[in-house]
Amino acid sequence: RQHRRQGLATEALKAIVALAASSFAVPALEAETAEDNVPSMATLARLGFEPTGETNEQWSQRRQAHVVYRVYR
């Protein structure tokens, strides 16, 4: 918890998006986050990811579903 709200996830994801676009010519990236994880949703939105309207219910037992986000590069 001591590392929360310091921008670490934003910086890491920003580097991954840049690397995928420049080195691997990846046309799109997909991410999932729990539907009640508002900070993660905000991080994804800041970096251009948009919700697809899809959910994935197989990944988490504690939370009901994960929301799928996608960004095209």
Side-chain angles (χ1 to χ4, degrees), residues 1-10 38-40 42-43 46:
R1 292 181 187 236
Q2 67 184 0
H3 300 296
R4 289 183 182 177
R5 304 204 43 86
Q6 294 184 24
L8 300 175
T10 300
V38 176
S40 289
T43 297
R46 255 193 311 281

Side-chain angles (χ1 to χ4, degrees), residues 4-31:
R4 289 183 182 177
R5 304 204 43 86
Q6 294 184 24
L8 300 175
T10 300
E11 290 304 312
L13 188 54
K14 190 184 301 184
I16 291 168
V17 169
L19 180 66
S22 66
S23 297
F24 300 107
V26 174
L29 294 172
E30 191 169 284

Side-chain angles (χ1 to χ4, degrees), residues 2-69:
Q2 67 184 0
H3 300 296
R4 289 183 182 177
R5 304 204 43 86
Q6 294 184 24
L8 300 175
T10 300
E11 290 304 312
L13 188 54
K14 190 184 301 184
I16 291 168
V17 169
L19 180 66
S22 66
S23 297
F24 300 107
V26 174
L29 294 172
E30 191 169 284
E32 293 184 17
T33 186
E35 63 186 352
D36 63 350
N37 191 336
V38 176
S40 289
M41 288 185 214
T43 297
L44 291 169
R46 255 193 311 281
L47 295 176
F49 284 76
E50 297 180 2
T52 65
E54 301 169 51
T55 59
N56 184 344
E57 297 184 15
Q58 82 180 51
W59 292 108
S60 178
Q61 293 177 355
R62 185 170 60 99
R63 295 182 170 141
Q64 294 299 322
H66 282 191
V67 179
V68 179
Y69 281 75

